[in-house]
Amino acid sequence: MDFAGLDVTGDLATSMGIEYLEATPERVVGRMPVAGNTQPYGLLHGGASCVLAESLGSVGSALHAGEGRIAVGIEINATHHRSATSGYVTGVATRVHGGNTLATYDIVISDDRDRRVCTARLTCMLRDAPGS
């Protein structure tokens, strides 16, 4: 999928089954299947939630940065509230700060019953793209 010239495909997002549903610099929405992203007990892996959160926040940060600039994740934290064992989880990344050098997004990940599974925060450093 291409949002304003931004290619959001990648090996990790593809292997995790991440689908982008909406993307603007202010808000990015995506979902990911629980199946294939679980830990040995059959629960959604906390690292998978972090991958979804960082993917969504990074897309928002790159859109905020604009053409000729890139976004590089420098900090992520996550609190896992409950488990998910089936279906999809949906993440909504909302920009809380958008400056010239940093962008920060709050990401809420919910299950199919709209119960909060994880809350994360991602900060990206914004830089000029190499060669620009």
Side-chain angles (χ1 to χ4, degrees), residues 50-114:
C50 289
V51 169
L52 178 60
E54 184 150 356
S55 297
L56 299 176
S58 293
V59 166
S61 294
L63 290 171
H64 169 75
E67 191 174 336
R69 303 201 74 212
I70 61 170
V72 180
I74 60 170
E75 190 270 340
I76 187 168
N77 65 63
T79 301
H80 307 291
H81 305 289
R82 70 177 334 111
S83 61
T85 57
S86 64
Y88 282 82
V89 288
T90 300
V92 178
T94 305
R95 186 177 64 198
V96 294
H97 172 76
N100 290 324
T101 58
L102 291 177
T104 301
Y105 286 76
D106 282 341
I107 304 101
V108 174
I109 299 173
S110 303
D111 65 12
D112 286 334
R113 293 172 48 193
D114 205 30

Side-chain angles (χ1 to χ4, degrees), residues 23-73:
T24 67
E26 295 80 22
R27 175 181 149 101
V28 180
V29 180
R31 72 181 195 152
M32 174 181 73
V34 173
N37 294 313
T38 58
Q39 39 90 316
Y41 303 113
L43 308 174
L44 178 66
H45 196 292
S49 293
C50 289
V51 169
L52 178 60
E54 184 150 356
S55 297
L56 299 176
S58 293
V59 166
S61 294
L63 290 171
H64 169 75
E67 191 174 336
R69 303 201 74 212
I70 61 170
V72 180

